[in-house]
Each structure stands twice: as structure tokens, then as C-alpha cells.
Amino acid sequence: MPAKVTITTVAKATGLSLATVSRALAGAENVLPQTREKVLAAAQSLNYVRDRTAVRLKTGKTHVLAFIMDRRDARHPGFMGLMLGVSDAIAGSEYHMVVLPDEASDPLATIKYVTERGLADALVISHTQADDERVQYLLDAGMPFVAHGRTNSPVPHGYVDFDNAAYSANAVHALAARGRKKLALLLPSPGGLFYSHLLDGFESACRMHGLEGTPIQGVSLDRSPTDLYAWAMAEASQYDGIITSREAPVVALLGALNARQIQLGRDMDLVIKHSTPFPQFVHQPLLGCFEDLHQAGWHIGQVLLDYFNRPQQPMGQFLFQPPKIEVFHELERT
């Protein structure tokens, strides 16, 4: 069996001191770029792997990021993109990611387990609420984290988010341009700023255009497809424009509209925010806005890496602006 490659092996191969090699492998800022490149090249050619147990004993760092997965994301078609975006951002760094589902009965349980046992250097959380107990706990515990979504916390924290108020306003503008007069907004369950941002943008744009806008209260996007189908069967015909911020319920909506013989592009327009190529493959006239969840995940990873490189700086914040509303499979106008 060949001898184990150690930091001493790398030092001998480069002619540098153990201290310099150690700092270079750790990504220390006080190492010249050419020296770091020399060390990393030698480490790669020798197949050197750092002993994470020894690193942790020396530095107290795990070099682990814990992605706390909300159980609702098991049904979200874009979740994989968000998760892989974080993973791609940290690829090649000293960090790797583990994914841990939250506990259905207690959203704090998994976060406490990781934090109190020192199992990770930072966390990623999603589905933030306006007053989020997870955020308050992590701030109090001094645990670095980035949220996919904003909160009302008076203490600034790292986040990456999509401007949902701008999205819903843009959706109204697009429907108004197509002559629609009576609009409905399907919303997620109340509690998150996602909900209030969508509502604010929708109501503001409806007032601007003098349109009748109705936020739907009887059913939410978090309900089952059966519930959304039943709502659409009973009430969708009252509107000539519907806005939704998720693509998962669209199949149920399309099924109900078809059953009621409501033709999209003629009797009604449907605007969706999508994170997959879904609208391209559903041959129905749809208006869509793409939310790139892989890019969101990549920015989350970058925010964390930037923080670890400069821990004295505040954690980064990033707000994506929505792209232009697209039209898919437009009906021919006669």
C-alpha cells in the first residue's frame, strides 16, 4: 500500500514550509496567489486530501454547509435546481453540503440539532415567514446562515430572494395590455413575505390600470390539486385573467378550465411563474415568468463563501428582478 500523502509530502514537493503550505491549503488571505497556485497544483498531482478531523480539531471548522430542506419542497419541481445551485457554487472550495429535511412537527428541531452539536459552519433555510422563529434562533445563536427569502427581522441577515411584488405587478400589466378586466390572484398560505409581496404588487398594479382584482381567499397554492381543481370548476369562469406564482397547480387548473370549456388565449389568460421548462411542453396559450432557482442557489452559495472569506463584513443580500413576461403558444388572432 502506498504511503499516505500528508501536508509534509506537499511541503517537500514544493520546497515550502509546513506553515506556508497549511495557510495556502486553508485559503488564508496572507498567501501570495502564485504560492497558493503552486501548493494547490502540487496537492492535486499528489492526490492529497486534507484530514477533516484534524482540521476541525485545529480550527473548530467543519467545512460543512447544512441545507435545511422544507418538506413542502419534495413536491416543488424547482427545488433540485436550488439545491444544485448551492452545491455548484461551493464546488472546488473547502466546503461541502449536506441536505437535511426539517421535522414536520417542529421547524426548529433540525436547526437546533445541527447548531447545538456544531455539525456545520453555516445553514441554508427557505420558506421564510415574516416573523421567523428560525431566523431569530440562528441570530441569537450566532450561527451564520442565508435564507431563501426575506423576513421582517430588525437585525439584518443574509438572504437571496425574488422580487415577487414586481412579478405580480408585471403580470397585471401584461394582462391589462391584452384587454383583461377582471383578474384573480392565487396566493400561497398567509404568513410569509412571499404572500404579502405578491399581494402588494397585484393590488397596486390593478389600481394603476383601473382593473377589478380579487386575491383568492378560499383556496391557497399550498392546497392539494383536488382543492384547486374544485375551486377552478366553481369560480374560475368569473375572471378573464388568473395569476399564479407556482407551476405545480397549473395542471389542475388547466383540467378544470378544459372541463368548463374555457379557452385560454380567447376567454381567459393565465400567468404563471415557473422554474422549469413546463410552459414549453404544455401546448396551451400561457403567459410565463421564469424564476431561475439554480441561479438563486448559486448566489446563496456565493454569499456564504464571501462571508467565510471576509467574516468581518455583513452577510450579503441579493434580490432578483423578474424577467419579462413571455407568451407561450399564442393563439392566432382572427
Side-chain angles (χ1 to χ4, degrees):
M1 177 180 292
K4 181 180 179 181
V5 177
T6 67
I7 191 171
T8 302
T9 313
V10 179
K12 288 179 179 179
T14 59
L16 299 168
S17 69
L18 283 173
T20 299
V21 171
S22 177
R23 290 198 303 273
L25 291 171
E29 294 184 357
N30 61 345
V31 177
L32 294 173
Q34 58 268 33
T35 302
R36 180 179 292 107
E37 290 174 8
K38 180 178 181 179
V39 171
L40 293 179
Q44 184 176 11
S45 67
L46 293 167
N47 294 317
Y48 169 73
V49 178
R50 296 183 78 191
D51 185 333
R52 289 189 177 274
T53 301
V55 171
R56 182 171 184 179
L57 289 172
K58 183 177 179 180
T59 67
K61 292 184 178 182
T62 65
H63 291 100
V64 172
L65 306 180
F67 190 118
I68 309 301
M69 186 188 83
D70 189 291
R71 287 175 178 268
R72 287 169 288 184
D73 282 331
R75 301 191 301 272
H76 193 299
F79 167 71
M80 188 64 70
L82 183 70
M83 183 178 67
L84 291 178
V86 179
S87 180
D88 289 346
I90 65 175
S93 75
E94 286 290 302
Y95 288 86
H96 69 281
M97 182 177 73
V98 297
V99 179
L100 301 170
D102 65 2
E103 293 191 16
S105 59
D106 182 2
L108 271 177
T110 303
I111 289 173
K112 285 183 175 179
Y113 183 86
V114 172
T115 302
E116 292 172 0
R117 288 164 177 77
L119 301 180
D121 295 337
L123 279 76
V124 178
I125 62 173
S126 61
H127 292 273
T128 51
Q129 300 291 299
D131 299 307
D132 200 306
E133 62 179 338
R134 300 171 301 167
V135 167
Q136 190 59 54
Y137 170 82
L138 291 168
L139 289 171
D140 290 343
M143 169 62 89
F145 71 97
V146 175
H148 185 221
R150 289 165 283 172
T151 72
N152 283 334
S153 171
V155 180
H157 63 79
Y159 69 75
V160 172
D161 201 5
F162 186 84
D163 193 337
N164 285 292
Y167 158 67
S168 58
N170 289 348
V172 172
H173 300 328
L175 291 171
R178 295 169 71 86
R180 302 308 181 183
K181 303 292 185 184
K182 192 171 182 180
L183 313 185
L185 173 67
L186 286 167
L187 289 157
S189 299
L193 290 182
F194 177 37
Y195 176 99
S196 58
H197 290 156
L198 286 166
L199 185 57
D200 290 347
F202 175 75
E203 292 182 334
S204 175
C206 283
R207 286 194 300 269
M208 179 187 302
H209 291 284
L211 303 179
E212 183 179 345
T214 302
I216 302 304
Q217 303 296 334
V219 68
S220 82
L221 294 173
D222 297 311
R223 298 280 287 275
S224 70
T226 302
D227 291 336
L228 289 159
Y229 180 89
W231 171 83
M233 286 290 292
E235 299 187 30
S237 61
Q238 301 176 44
Y239 308 101
D240 60 10
I242 297 177
I243 300 169
T244 178
S245 57
R246 292 180 186 159
E247 61 210 285
V250 172
V251 172
L253 294 176
L254 292 177
L257 297 178
N258 182 63
R260 292 298 306 272
Q261 297 185 329
I262 298 171
Q263 185 175 2
L264 288 177
R266 185 190 67 191
D267 308 314
M268 173 191 293
D269 282 311
L270 176 61
V271 188
I272 67 172
K273 185 177 72 169
H274 60 101
S275 52
T276 71
F278 174 87
Q280 299 176 24
F281 303 116
V282 177
H283 288 276
Q284 293 284 338
L286 294 169
L287 281 71
C289 175
F290 181 61
E291 180 180 10
D292 192 333
L293 288 178
H294 183 275
Q295 272 293 96
W298 190 88
H299 275 83
I300 287 171
Q302 283 297 306
V303 166
L304 287 168
L305 290 179
D306 289 346
Y307 171 78
F308 288 128
N309 288 331
R310 295 181 293 274
Q312 69 279 5
Q313 299 295 322
M315 190 77 80
Q317 299 175 338
F318 194 90
L319 183 64
F320 280 97
Q321 293 303 307
K324 183 180 178 181
I325 303 288
E326 298 179 83
V327 181
F328 297 89
H329 314 296
E330 178 75 283
L331 287 181
E332 291 186 10
R333 301 283 177 171
T334 60

